Amino acid sequence: MSELPHRTLGPGRLSVSAEGLGCMGMSDFYAGRDDDESIATIHRALDLGVDFLDTADIYGPYTNERLVGRALEGRRDGVVLATKFGNVRGEDGAWLGVNGRPDYVKRACDASLQRLGVDHIDLYYQHRVDRTVPIEETVGAMADLVRAGKVRHLGLSEAAPETIRRAAREHPIAALQTEYSLWSRDPEDEILPTCRELDIGFVAYSPLGRGFLTGRFKTIEDLPPDDYRRNHPRFQGENFQKNLDLVGSVERIAKRKGCTPSQLALAWVLAQGDDIVPIPGTKRRKYLEENVGAVEVELTPADLDEIDEVAPVGVAAGPRYNEHGMRTVNG
């Protein structure tokens, strides 16, 4: 495999590998955790040139940052480490709400630095917008962390266009992280144009549709009993069956292109612009290697037209979160 290309995020020109690694599933939400294999996966990612790692304080909760920190012992140099604050959970995993108050921002950062075992965070995101706190106050506190040397670049996640604009007036924003994939193309309407107008990079999470677009799930029974995706709207009932039609189309195009469905889905995200960086999550080396192979899949204009036909905006059956989750996005 050729050397992994890099892309730049934001006005500060933060350089990251064209594909990152989402670490959430190593510790939370998806079944089948194995810390040794997860650490081996992170090490393999670094060996392959994937230098952009994504975590958050609530994953675990609070255990994924420790896991990533263990994996980075002796290998911190050259890694772009991203984490998030703002979603609050108890030690028992209970959801306690969203907090963007300045005093909390600073406490959360110090706690993340301690769990990660590092002296700075390269990209620090507000995980969800706190609608009770002016974004200027939250970003102002984040900017204080930059001035203190604890954080290098700032990011937002699932923020609305006007929120992004107000935040960027307070301090340069390197990246906006939002779900984006063949079955979640909503950002194309307003979010991506806003980011491009403001020179803000776009980090695409769940670029494989929480694994659905890989083609590995043919029935709900393919998911372990304790996997949270069993309660996800797009994995339930008639929605599951309708979404399998999209997967079938992706599989047919991938077969013709000589790649896997995962690689086709990631190649499509990569082809949407040099300012977009997908961060597929995996906790296994074999899937990591498959995902990295997507950078070598070349999609012609005709390929992209065909994909647009089978996966237009709004193609997925079901919302991308349950009712409570949808109230926390586009804040």
Side-chain angles (χ1 to χ4, degrees), residues 87-248:
N87 278 334
V88 187
R89 291 172 76 184
E91 292 290 343
D92 62 353
W95 291 91
L96 303 178
V98 177
N99 193 338
R101 293 193 299 272
D103 60 331
Y104 177 79
V105 174
K106 295 177 181 181
R107 291 200 312 273
C109 179
D110 287 342
S112 286
L113 288 169
Q114 185 175 22
R115 283 188 292 266
L116 289 161
V118 300
D119 63 5
H120 72 276
I121 295 162
D122 297 296
L123 177 56
Y124 199 40
Y125 293 101
Q126 182 183 23
H127 206 160
R128 290 292 187 272
V129 174
D130 185 344
R131 298 170 194 260
T132 70
V133 178
I135 191 65
E136 291 83 0
E137 293 184 15
T138 302
V139 173
M142 295 168 72
D144 287 343
L145 296 172
V146 175
R147 287 186 281 270
K150 296 179 179 181
V151 170
R152 298 284 170 82
H153 300 267
L154 303 185
L156 303 173
S157 179
E158 292 288 0
E162 183 55 29
T163 304
I164 298 168
R165 292 181 188 281
R166 289 167 55 195
R169 286 195 288 268
E170 186 70 25
H171 188 278
I173 302 298
L176 184 283
Q177 183 177 141
T178 290
E179 182 174 353
Y180 187 46
S181 70
L182 283 172
W183 79 350
S184 292
R185 296 182 58 176
D186 316 46
E188 294 174 11
D189 293 336
E190 294 184 86
I191 300 292
L192 265 171
T194 300
C195 288
R196 285 172 171 157
E197 177 189 337
L198 300 173
D199 191 24
I200 295 172
F202 187 96
V203 175
Y205 77 81
S206 292
L208 296 176
R210 294 177 173 79
F212 203 104
L213 296 172
T214 67
R216 290 196 288 271
F217 307 125
K218 300 303 182 186
T219 77
I220 195 67
E221 298 309 315
D222 290 334
L223 288 167
D226 59 342
D227 194 301
Y228 108 103
R229 287 171 291 190
R230 279 179 170 264
N231 299 313
H232 190 284
R234 292 183 177 175
F235 285 77
Q236 293 183 314
E238 292 183 359
N239 290 346
F240 191 105
Q241 294 304 314
K242 290 178 180 177
N243 290 328
L244 278 179
D245 293 340
L246 169 61
V247 174

Side-chain angles (χ1 to χ4, degrees), residues 5-74:
H6 274 63
R7 294 183 170 186
T8 55
L9 300 175
R13 316 314 295 163
L14 176 62
S15 178
V16 300
S17 50
E19 190 176 294
L21 174 61
C23 300
M24 179 193 78
M26 297 175 178
S27 305
D28 211 352
F29 299 108
Y30 301 163
R33 290 180 277 284
D34 179 337
D35 284 358
D36 289 340
E37 176 62 17
S38 291
I39 289 173
T41 299
I42 292 173
H43 289 168
R44 181 63 176 146
L46 299 179
D47 292 341
L48 290 172
V50 177
D51 61 17
F52 187 29
L53 303 182
D54 184 271
T55 181
D57 55 6
I58 64 155
Y59 299 158
Y62 309 108
T63 57
N64 192 242
E65 286 184 326
R66 295 189 184 100
L67 177 73
V68 172
R70 283 171 54 199
L72 290 182
E73 289 178 4

